[in-house]
């Protein structure tokens, strides 16, 4: 049976294929019980035939169906039909994040943070249910028309990885797996956070951090190599976002963000323009020969903060230090490789040079800030009024200056929304603390809802975007032309805040029902065949070929709308023959009798002269209509003529 006519589980009518993946094909389908459009993912035969996969698939699909989040694609149902396993999911309009990055290239840093925050929202719900996704990648993230995202395939990756094949499926998608997943170790929440870091890296730069000729080589790079800092691939990536991404991608899970909620708070702060306190990522360099053998040493956060990639060096830094750091990163150097022989003296010189630069910088900072140089704790003045903040800082021995005020939805106008250096950290007494004051929430702007009824979905989105509104599309069957909007959630001309989500409903066209063949069925059989979605009326007629009580004909046939009335004609059997009185025309002329008898419905045969006198008549009286009557005649005589 063609896919377009196939019904899974006696309920889900497959319409058309909308996508293919490494383990399944996805179809748009109609849930015939709840009368709604759904997406049905049908597992490929090599998975369906594996007993281990089947058992884990059942367990994981049930768990995924229990996850409820605005950022998770809803799983409605799952089952097995014959040899086919399938999952029924929420049907969405949109595109996957991988396709979006391919089309548009690197995304705006704030958009990267927004996407990352929403993925964290999905992961937070799953992790609290003790479900690790295991396959976070852009292909599993759907971008909706309103710009929000939904994460797909929760729990399915674990079932997939139970099916070990020779094509490295056990590795998952190598470009996004964590080092511990590559090693086959137990996975926790931090494994998904590593994969999310890779996704944000790709969104921010337009490319994955590690690539290779095959899955094995890419996976080994995940374990052994440090990523090139995103800002060296795309200079538009600022240091704060870079630190967030690289902290997610730390090789040691203990050095990453430990929970999705923790990462989400940092991303939300970054997206809102607030300062984020994320340490510089760990940098591992090989020890020079003769200095501690072949062990590795980790440069401290403070040291690393002084050695930034080329082009970002601050005042007072030398060119040599940054160039060295950039060069090592750009080569993709294996952080665990031992240095080549003969390079020990060079590396030692570089390390000593870096120490001299750091010492000089500290000395310069001490003299620049003035004062005694004694380190004191900076008061935390976030949410203080301007006057309260100045009093607290000046009493602690600090000077105060102000940066540009910013809008903030959470901090009241005139209060401190950010400070540098941060509160509760040490700084030289007499140094300057820079404060940022809140201008309060961004002023609310209002706009009118446009008329999008009758428009296509693309036209509706364009009109809503022009009005600074967001659209949320739903699909339903309707009398309106397929693909056009037939209803909108807010009335045309209604005044709403800019950014408001306007729901609208797009027609998939009217649903139709195929009228079954009723010819020859009894009345009871015809009623049963029509079911409860079609109406019917009955009439009757004679038929010489259809038995009495059976259907002669019906209309309309073919595909009709639900509720259509089918007009059915039942047979009364053959039409009964009528009795007619045939007069006796003996002694009358045949030319007179023949037309009289024929007008009464009889067939007349004249045996003799056509204008002769009738001497005998084969039948008369009450006869069946259509009976043949023979008239025997003889020629007229003179006596007959006189009569």
């Amino acid at each position: 049976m063609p896919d377009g006519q196939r019904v899974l589980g006696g309920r889900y009518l497959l319409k058309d294929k909308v996508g293919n993946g490494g383990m399944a094909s996805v179809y748009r389908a109609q849930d015939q019980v709840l009368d709604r459009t759904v997406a049905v993912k049908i597992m490929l035969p090599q998975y369906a035939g594996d007993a281990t996969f089947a058992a884990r698939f059942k367990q994981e699909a049930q768990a995924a169906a229990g996850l409820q989040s605005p950022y998770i694609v809803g799983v409605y149902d799952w089952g097995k039909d014959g040899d086919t396993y399938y999952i029924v999911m929420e049907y969405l309009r949109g595109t996957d994040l991988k396709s979006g990055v391919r089309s548009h290239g690197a995304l705006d840093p704030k958009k990267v943070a927004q996407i990352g925050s929403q993925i964290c929202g999905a992961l937070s719900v799953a992790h609290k249910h003790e479900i690790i996704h295991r396959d976070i990648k852009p292909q599993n993230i759907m971008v909706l028309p309103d710009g929000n995202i939904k994460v797909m395939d929760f729990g399915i990756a674990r079932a997939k990885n139970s099916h070990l094949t020779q094509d490295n499926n056990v590795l998952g998608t190598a470009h996004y797996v964590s080092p511990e997943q590559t090693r086959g170790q137990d996975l926790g929440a931090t494994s998904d956070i590593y994969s999310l870091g890779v996704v944000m890296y790709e969104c921010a730069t337009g490319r994955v951090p590690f690539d290779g000729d095959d899955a094995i080589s890419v996976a080994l790079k995940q374990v052994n190599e440090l990523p090139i800092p995103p800002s060296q691939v795309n200079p538009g990536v600022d240091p704060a976002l870079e630190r967030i991404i690289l902290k997610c991608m730390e090789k040691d899970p203990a050095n990453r963000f430990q929970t999705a909620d923790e990462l989400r708070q940092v991303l939300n702060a970054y997206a809102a323009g607030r300062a984020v306190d994320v340490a510089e990522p760990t940098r591992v360099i090989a020890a020079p020969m003769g200095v501690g053998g072949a062990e590795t040493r980790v440069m401290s956060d403070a040291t690393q903060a002084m050695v930034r990639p080329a082009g970002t060096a601050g005042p007072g830094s030398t060119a040599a230090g940054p160039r060295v750091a950039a060069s090592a990163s750009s080569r993709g150097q294996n952080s665990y490789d031992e240095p080549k022989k003969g390079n020990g003296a060079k590396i030692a010189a570089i390390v000593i040079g870096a120490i001299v630069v750091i010492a000089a910088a500290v000395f310069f900072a001490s003299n620049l800030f003035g004062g005694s140089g004694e380190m004191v704790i900076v008061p935390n003045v976030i949410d203080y009024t301007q006057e309260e903040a100045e009093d607290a800082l000046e009493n602690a021995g600090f000077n105060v200056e102000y940066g540009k005020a910013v809008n903030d939805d959470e901090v009241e106008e005139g209060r401190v929304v950010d400070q540098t250096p941060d509160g509760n950290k040490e700084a030289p007494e007499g140094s300057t603390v820079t404060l940022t004051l809140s201008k309060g929430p961004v002023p609310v702007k209002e706009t009118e809802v446009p008329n999008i009824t009758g428009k296509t979905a693309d036209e509706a989105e364009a009109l809503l975007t022009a009005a600074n509104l967001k659209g949320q599309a739903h699909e339903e069957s309707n009398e309106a032309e397929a693909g056009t909007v037939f209803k909108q959630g807010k009335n045309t001309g209604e005044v709403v805040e800019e950014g408001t989500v306007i729901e609208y409903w797009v027609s998939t066209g009217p649903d139709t029902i195929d009228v079954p063949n009723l010819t020859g069925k009894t009345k009871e059989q015809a009623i049963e065949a029509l079911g409860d979605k079609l109406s019917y009326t009955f009439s009757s007629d004679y038929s010489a070929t259809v038995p009495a009580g059976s259907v002669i004909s019906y209309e309309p046939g073919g595909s009709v709308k639900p509720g259509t009335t089918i007009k059915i004609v039942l047979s009364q059997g053959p039409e009964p023959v009528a009795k007619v009185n045939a007069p006796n025309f003996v002694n009358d002329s045949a030319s007179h009798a023949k037309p009289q008898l024929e007008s009464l419905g009889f067939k007349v045969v004249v045996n003799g002269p056509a204008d002769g006198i009738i001497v005998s008549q084969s039948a008369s009286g009450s006869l069946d209509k259509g009976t043949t009557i023979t008239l025997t005649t003889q020629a007229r005589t003179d006596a007959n003529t006189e009569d």
Side-chain angles (χ1 to χ4, degrees):
M1 181 184 293
D3 288 331
Q5 301 174 14
R6 187 178 181 186
V7 177
L8 292 179
R11 173 172 179 175
Y12 304 106
L13 174 64
L14 302 185
K15 296 286 190 179
D16 47 21
K17 184 182 289 188
V18 295
N20 285 306
M23 62 183 294
S25 296
V26 183
Y27 291 82
R28 181 173 67 90
Q30 186 71 16
D31 182 340
Q32 297 181 312
V33 174
L34 298 180
D35 193 25
R36 65 180 176 184
T37 300
V38 295
V40 176
K41 178 170 283 191
I42 301 177
M43 301 299 125
L44 296 179
Q46 63 263 37
Y47 292 107
D50 182 86
T52 304
F53 171 84
R56 183 162 284 177
F57 171 86
K58 176 179 178 180
Q59 174 186 351
E60 297 297 323
Q62 287 175 327
L67 300 180
Q68 300 294 323
S69 167
Y71 305 120
I72 296 177
V73 174
V75 176
Y76 298 145
D77 193 8
W78 69 275
K80 184 180 181 184
D81 190 301
D83 294 329
T84 300
Y85 286 90
Y86 63 90
I87 303 171
V88 183
M89 304 177 297
E90 180 182 10
Y91 181 78
L92 301 171
R93 293 173 60 87
T95 185
D96 66 88
L97 183 58
K98 186 74 173 182
S99 300
V101 173
R102 282 200 187 111
S103 299
H104 303 292
L107 305 181
D108 176 81
K110 293 295 173 65
K111 183 63 177 177
V112 175
Q114 178 192 349
I115 290 172
S117 172
Q118 293 186 1
I119 298 172
C120 283
L123 292 178
S124 176
V125 172
H127 293 168
K128 288 172 184 174
H129 284 75
E130 299 184 346
I131 294 177
I132 308 303
H133 191 288
R134 292 175 169 80
D135 200 18
I136 290 293
K137 58 185 178 182
Q139 296 92 324
N140 279 337
I141 297 162
M142 181 68 72
V143 182
L144 307 183
D146 64 1
N148 290 316
I149 64 95
K150 282 183 181 272
V151 180
M152 300 185 289
D153 282 359
F154 268 99
I156 306 309
R158 182 178 176 188
K160 178 181 178 182
N161 284 346
S162 70
H163 182 87
L164 308 184
T165 68
Q166 295 180 352
D167 61 0
N168 298 326
N169 277 344
V170 69
L171 294 176
T173 307
H175 290 99
Y176 306 95
V177 295
S178 64
E180 59 269 27
Q181 188 170 357
T182 298
R183 298 188 188 102
Q185 298 170 339
D186 291 339
L187 305 182
T190 52
S191 180
D192 282 346
I193 288 173
Y194 180 97
S195 299
L196 173 53
V198 179
V199 171
M200 290 193 293
Y201 186 108
E202 184 175 1
C203 289
T205 65
R207 75 182 205 191
V208 292
F210 303 112
D211 208 351
D213 295 331
D214 53 54
I216 298 295
S217 64
V218 174
L220 289 175
K221 289 181 180 181
Q222 298 281 17
V223 174
N224 296 324
E225 295 187 10
L226 291 176
I228 297 173
S231 61
Q232 292 189 23
V233 180
N234 175 17
V237 179
D238 59 58
L241 180 60
E242 179 168 287
R243 290 197 302 272
I244 295 171
I245 292 173
L246 294 181
K247 182 175 176 66
C248 292
M249 294 178 62
E250 288 280 2
K251 304 298 182 187
D252 184 350
N255 292 335
R256 301 171 198 156
F257 295 97
Q258 294 302 293
T259 67
D261 284 338
E262 178 189 5
L263 174 55
R264 189 180 189 190
Q265 289 176 3
V266 172
L267 288 169
N268 286 343
Y270 170 81
R274 296 195 290 272
V276 294
D277 186 15
V278 178
E280 289 287 331
T282 301
R283 300 296 191 204
V284 183
I285 63 171
M289 295 298 293
V291 184
E295 297 178 356
T296 59
R297 296 184 300 153
V298 180
M299 297 178 68
S300 69
D301 289 345
T303 301
Q304 182 58 34
M306 298 301 298
V307 186
R308 300 192 60 79
T312 61
S317 64
T318 66
R323 287 198 191 98
V324 172
S327 175
S329 296
S330 62
R331 289 195 304 270
Q333 180 182 346
N334 183 337
S335 60
Y336 299 96
D337 285 345
E338 293 185 12
K340 295 180 181 179
K341 293 181 179 180
N343 289 339
K346 292 181 180 179
I347 296 177
I350 292 170
V351 173
I352 294 170
I355 295 171
V356 171
V357 171
I358 296 166
V362 172
F363 177 81
F364 176 79
S366 299
N367 286 279
L368 176 64
F369 289 121
S372 64
E374 180 182 352
M375 303 298 286
V376 294
I377 297 297
V378 179
N380 183 356
V381 295
I382 299 297
D383 209 27
Y384 281 32
T385 65
Q386 181 176 352
E387 183 179 356
E388 291 169 344
E390 288 179 356
D391 288 345
L393 291 168
E394 288 171 357
N395 289 338
F398 293 98
N399 299 315
V400 178
E401 66 177 27
Y402 293 91
K404 185 178 179 180
V406 297
N407 292 107
D408 192 285
D409 292 336
E410 299 177 0
V411 179
E412 184 182 335
E413 182 179 1
R415 291 182 176 270
V416 177
V417 71
D418 193 16
Q419 68 179 83
T420 305
D422 293 339
N424 301 320
K425 291 191 175 181
E426 289 188 338
E429 183 179 4
S431 60
T432 299
V433 177
T434 302
L435 302 180
T436 302
L437 297 179
S438 170
K439 295 195 293 184
V442 176
V444 174
K445 294 183 180 180
E446 295 183 328
T447 184
E448 288 189 2
V449 177
N451 181 11
I452 58 176
T453 302
K455 307 294 185 184
T456 66
D458 289 341
E459 291 170 341
E461 287 292 336
L463 288 171
L464 292 171
T465 299
N468 293 322
L469 298 170
K470 296 179 180 179
Q472 182 175 349
H474 307 279
E475 287 191 338
E476 284 186 12
S477 61
N478 188 266
E479 299 297 323
E481 182 182 351
T484 60
V485 177
F486 67 89
K487 182 173 68 173
Q488 58 188 80
K490 297 284 185 181
N491 294 330
T492 301
E494 185 175 342
V495 177
V496 297
E497 292 183 10
E498 288 188 359
T500 297
V501 175
I502 305 299
E503 292 184 287
Y504 60 90
W505 284 259
V506 180
S507 172
T508 58
D511 281 343
T512 59
I513 298 175
D514 290 334
V515 179
N517 184 3
L518 304 178
T519 303
K521 294 185 183 294
T522 65
K523 181 177 182 179
E524 292 73 18
Q525 290 171 337
I527 292 173
E528 182 179 357
L530 291 174
D532 58 0
K533 292 189 176 182
L534 294 171
S535 301
Y536 46 82
T537 61
F538 291 97
S539 61
S540 58
D541 199 359
Y542 294 110
S543 174
T545 59
V546 178
S550 297
V551 176
I552 300 173
S553 62
Y554 60 92
E555 63 174 2
S559 296
V560 299
K561 299 176 184 177
T564 299
T565 297
I566 309 301
K567 298 177 181 178
I568 304 171
V569 179
L570 295 175
S571 172
Q572 293 178 294
E575 184 177 5
V577 179
K579 294 288 187 179
V580 182
N581 184 51
N584 190 330
F585 287 99
V586 173
N587 295 324
D588 201 345
S589 66
S591 58
H592 173 259
K594 185 174 183 293
Q596 292 293 320
L597 290 170
E598 287 177 339
S599 68
L600 293 173
F602 297 107
K603 296 178 182 178
V604 179
V605 176
V606 177
N607 184 13
D611 60 348
I613 298 300
I614 300 170
V615 294
S616 69
Q617 180 175 329
S618 62
S620 63
S622 180
L623 302 175
D624 290 341
K625 189 175 183 179
T627 300
T628 300
I629 298 175
T630 302
L631 301 178
T632 303
T633 65
Q634 67 180 15
R636 290 172 175 271
T637 64
D638 292 341
N640 295 133
T641 303
E642 291 177 359
D643 292 341

